[in-house]
Amino acid sequence: MAGWLDGNLVGFVDGIAFGLLLFTIAVGLSLVFGMMDVLNLAHGTLYLGGAYTAYALSDGTLPGLLLALTAGALVGALGGAALTWLTQPLARRGHLDQAVLTLGITFIVADLLAAAFGGEVLPTDPPAALRGTVDLLGHTYPVYRLVFIAVAACLAVLVHLLFERSSLGALVRATVADRDMVRAQGVDIRKVLYGVFALGAALAAVGGVLGAPTLGPGPGVDESVLVLSLVVVVVGGLGSVRGALVGALLIGQVQTLGVALLPQYAPFLLFGTMLAVLVVRPHGLVASAVRT
Amino acid sequence: MAGRFHPLVLITVTTGLLLATGCGGASLGTGDDNKQAGPVKIGLLVPQSGTYKALGDDMKQGFELYVRQHGGRLGGREVQIVTADEGETADSGKAAAEKLVKQDRVLAVSGVVSSATVNGVKDLFETSRIPLVGSNASPTTLTGTEYIWRTSYVNDEPGKALGRHVAERAGGPVFLIAAGYQAGKDEIEGFKSTFLPAGGKIAGEEVYTPFPGTKNFQPYLSQIENSGAKAVFCFYAGGAAVDFVKQYRDFGLAGKIPLYAPGFLTEGGVLKGQGDAAEGILTALNYSADLDNAANRQFAPAYRAAHGTDPTTYAMASWDAAQVLDKAIGAAGSAVTPETVNAALSSVGDIDSPRGTWRFNSGGTPIQPWYLREVKLGANTVAGDLGRLGG
């Protein structure tokens, strides 16, 4: 048992790192879809926007990373606001129209980004201070990924507190539960919608900045990130922070420990897990607190 | 809302839409076909969109450079190049090839990045009897063709070129890992075909990582570390090559376990993406930009001057495709038709290439020299000779 643990320790820790990256990306998709009922398939593009921001601003220093994080959050928030504005007219026309519109946007933006940055995956190294490896009970592990775990865990706690514990979160949940009642209180519903969308999008872009050394910016990254996010949302359950976290951590472990333990099934593990979860719990592992 | 939501439908729709966009349209061209005495039309079938765009750009630039260096003429005839977008899939490639052959009525076609496209257009070129001088894709399964030539190499040859060398140098078992699709399997099989007879031992079992989609290589890197391997042979290209090499360094394997690979691992734009993580990687390829020979002195500096980067093997093979067509069109004399050009292709003889001298074998691929290369200060440099292959 001890040997088994030792042999898979790195995989387990890395599963947490990868899972937290997926959480940072996917939580916005889950909240916007689950709470605001807007299906945003341009979510991977928001990640890509953050990753390119990291490439453009990363100069190998910690201030450079902080600058990239700020700029990335801004790019993401603006992108989220723009997407809210674009999808608003389709609010009553169902998810298929939203899917076509937002997917169309991803293709246009992907082509623009390819024209601006070229067709290659671009190098984005973590700050010099966070490069190198540490000894993890006898195994080598990249320092940057450990730091990433700490930062992403803080983000997860903050997002949880914001949505589940703060009065702002209460307002959002109330809006989801009964729009008319909240409107009757004199609250501008659109501001809530814009706010949640911008926040979710900013998180995806921040994920892009932090994740760039792992999932570097390049053509096609937006699609793989979108698919992973959709799987996380489907597995975790829509519209709850806890659901996104549970789904992301599970998929993170499936993609690291699972792949290491069952290499011959590696190509099927991701969607196999999703299928298994859907059969047992059609609405995901964690049901939304407000919409069930 | 939860009741209306069907996750599987959503995933299916999304996947469908993503796939559908792979079928990009071909670019528009002019359709005049009474051009017996005037310029000859050559089709360039390369990706101008999608994942393989970077490769397509290299190939286009290599071909156009040769034509430009020769006064816009091939075989004494003025050349009109018609470019069509191969896209990402066999379907988009086939549509573009049909447009070149049937609508533009080109004399010959060059290009083609993807093996799937080559397989998809094989019958088209064979039945319409128009030569395809391919400058990249060359699957091992492509045999018995009369009109399809390649100036690159057969898919399993980079692995074959490296096997013996690694068996002699590794000093222990070697871990084999590749992207899980046809090209990856070809390279691993090619490698084993020379590695095992030379006494090489494999560490554990060979691993194929899911393709596309593997972004986090940590599970496989742990396997490598735990296997006790003295060296690694891997096959990756494009974005996966960048991810694999960077994570190989991040998890502390670089400098500890030597990494060998077919040249694409560090070729072209991916090398920039890998940065200093690529230092010391050893690869096998038929070309290195720093080769010192007459043809490369004509090719590499001109390419660098025009595009600001070292030429890749993709650009070089396309430059050679233009050179081969130059010779064949010249040899076809006054009666230049696709069939006379194709006949002339079989007797173009020795080609003075930036890679060294080579000639076509009976299967229409080069008999050529192979080089061991090492990444030093961000560039591939020749580190040894791996003999000739293709005979």
Side-chain angles (χ1 to χ4, degrees):
Chain A
M1 187 65 197
W4 187 90
L5 266 180
D6 189 49
N8 293 292
L9 176 78
V10 173
F12 177 72
V13 173
D14 202 59
I16 295 174
F18 196 56
L20 284 173
L21 175 61
L22 291 180
F23 167 79
T24 314
I25 302 166
V27 69
L29 181 70
S30 176
L31 291 175
V32 169
F33 192 15
M35 291 185 156
M36 299 299 144
D37 206 15
V38 177
L39 175 56
N40 173 28
L41 294 185
H43 201 70
T45 306
L46 294 166
Y47 173 90
L48 201 54
Y52 275 117
T53 308
Y55 167 73
L57 297 178
S58 71
D59 56 353
T61 63
L62 278 175
L65 179 65
L66 291 178
L67 178 68
L69 277 174
T70 317
L74 207 65
V75 166
L78 287 176
L83 281 165
T84 328
W85 183 70
L86 286 167
T87 51
Q88 273 284 66
L90 299 178
R92 299 194 184 284
R93 296 187 44 185
H95 296 146
L96 191 59
D97 289 40
Q98 294 170 352
V100 172
L101 173 72
T102 51
L103 204 55
I105 292 170
T106 68
F107 295 138
I108 294 169
V109 176
D111 278 348
L112 290 176
L113 287 173
F117 291 95
E120 309 282 356
V121 175
L122 295 170
T124 29
D125 280 320
L130 305 179
R131 279 177 222 160
T133 56
V134 284
D135 187 87
L136 199 72
L137 300 179
H139 302 276
T140 41
Y141 195 78
V143 176
Y144 181 76
R145 290 194 184 201
L146 284 181
V147 175
F148 176 85
I149 290 179
V151 174
C154 291
L155 277 177
V157 170
L158 280 178
V159 174
H160 172 78
L161 290 178
L162 181 67
F163 276 92
E164 311 287 338
R165 294 278 183 272
S166 76
S167 56
L168 220 62
L171 176 66
V172 172
R173 279 177 285 129
T175 308
V176 176
D178 193 338
R179 282 186 189 209
D180 292 335
M181 188 59 87
V182 174
R183 199 177 281 126
Q185 307 277 324
V187 175
D188 187 350
I189 300 291
R190 282 192 321 168
K191 277 188 189 157
V192 178
L193 181 60
Y194 271 90
V196 173
F197 211 140
L199 178 71
L203 274 169
V206 163
V209 174
L210 292 173
T214 315
L215 292 174
V221 174
D222 45 352
E223 286 168 26
S224 34
V225 165
L226 173 65
V227 171
L228 280 170
S229 305
L230 285 170
V231 172
V232 164
V233 168
V234 167
V235 166
L238 270 178
S240 93
V241 177
R242 218 150 46 88
L245 186 60
V246 169
L249 286 176
L250 176 65
I251 294 304
Q253 290 302 344
V254 166
Q255 291 288 73
T256 54
L257 264 192
V259 163
L261 298 178
L262 301 165
Q264 64 274 40
Y265 300 111
F268 317 109
L269 279 178
L270 181 65
F271 291 102
T273 308
M274 186 176 81
L275 201 65
V277 169
L278 281 178
V279 168
V280 182
R281 298 193 59 135
H283 295 301
L285 291 173
V286 178
S288 163
V290 280
R291 280 185 184 263
T292 35
Chain B
M1 125 97 233
R4 286 192 288 123
F5 172 60
H6 299 291
L8 278 179
V9 174
L10 175 62
I11 296 272
T12 314
V13 168
T14 312
T15 313
L17 287 169
L18 289 173
L19 287 177
T21 57
C23 317
S27 57
L28 292 170
T30 50
D32 49 341
D33 44 12
N34 50 347
K35 291 277 183 191
Q36 286 303 315
V40 292
K41 248 191 227 179
I42 306 289
L44 212 48
L45 180 58
V46 292
Q48 296 180 287
S49 62
T51 319
Y52 306 119
K53 181 181 183 303
L55 255 71
D57 290 346
D58 278 8
M59 288 158 72
K60 191 163 185 286
Q61 290 164 4
F63 196 93
E64 288 173 349
L65 176 64
Y66 185 93
V67 174
R68 211 163 50 238
Q69 286 178 324
H70 293 80
R73 290 169 181 272
L74 290 180
R77 301 282 291 258
E78 204 182 309
V79 173
Q80 185 191 347
I81 295 175
V82 186
T83 310
D85 184 6
E86 184 188 335
E88 280 181 21
T89 65
D91 284 342
S92 60
K94 206 172 164 185
E98 290 201 352
K99 183 223 158 227
L100 287 174
V101 166
K102 294 182 177 157
Q103 191 182 323
D104 298 320
R105 310 202 170 227
V106 294
L107 178 67
V109 174
S110 183
V112 186
V113 161
S114 135
S115 291
T117 303
V118 167
N119 289 331
V121 300
K122 179 181 155 192
D123 291 344
L124 172 71
F125 285 98
E126 290 291 306
T127 54
S128 45
R129 303 167 86 78
I130 289 180
L132 166 65
V133 183
S135 53
N136 187 55
S138 184
T140 48
T141 48
L142 187 69
T143 52
T145 53
E146 232 181 292
Y147 284 82
I148 302 183
W149 311 78
R150 279 87 73 206
T151 61
S152 47
Y153 37 77
V154 183
N155 264 355
D156 61 354
E157 285 179 338
K160 254 185 205 165
L162 207 46
R164 194 186 159 79
H165 177 84
V166 177
E168 285 166 1
R169 295 296 172 86
V174 175
F175 198 94
L176 310 185
I177 180 166
Y181 66 115
Q182 194 54 47
K185 288 176 181 134
D186 284 350
E187 290 296 347
I188 293 277
E189 288 310 315
F191 180 78
K192 288 200 295 190
S193 74
T194 54
F195 175 72
L196 296 177
K201 292 271 175 297
I202 298 172
E205 283 190 24
E206 59 209 65
V207 168
Y208 292 102
T209 57
F211 176 88
T214 305
K215 283 281 175 191
N216 185 20
F217 288 96
Q218 178 278 327
Y220 308 103
L221 297 174
S222 280
Q223 262 175 280
I224 292 173
E225 200 182 16
N226 297 337
S227 72
K230 293 286 180 214
V232 173
F233 173 81
C234 77
F235 164 79
Y236 288 103
V242 177
D243 292 336
F244 185 82
V245 165
K246 290 188 74 168
Q247 292 174 30
Y248 197 83
R249 190 259 321 256
D250 289 347
F251 280 91
L253 297 181
K256 229 164 67 180
I257 309 177
L259 186 57
Y260 291 91
F264 338 105
L265 188 74
T266 60
E267 189 70 357
V270 292
L271 186 60
K272 265 175 263 151
Q274 292 154 350
D276 52 14
E279 283 297 303
I281 291 177
L282 297 155
T283 61
L285 207 60
N286 61 344
Y287 180 65
S288 179
D290 67 336
L291 279 172
D292 189 21
N293 60 51
N296 201 35
R297 281 194 290 274
Q298 195 194 350
F299 170 64
Y303 191 91
R304 255 181 233 118
H307 304 293
T309 59
D310 277 344
T312 58
T313 187
Y314 320 116
M316 182 278 294
S318 286
W319 194 83
D320 267 2
Q323 180 177 191
V324 164
L325 280 168
D326 187 13
K327 291 194 168 201
I329 293 169
S334 52
V336 171
T337 67
E339 290 184 44
T340 56
V341 170
N342 196 67
L345 278 168
S346 61
S347 49
V348 288
D350 284 344
I351 306 292
D352 270 328
S353 161
R355 73 187 89 171
T357 309
W358 65 271
R359 57 185 300 129
F360 280 123
N361 64 16
S362 58
T365 64
I367 307 170
Q368 62 184 328
W370 284 83
Y371 305 99
L372 180 72
R373 313 183 309 170
E374 182 177 2
V375 178
K376 278 185 186 160
L377 299 172
N380 289 298
T381 57
V382 177
D385 212 320
L386 296 173
R388 285 176 90 83
L389 281 182

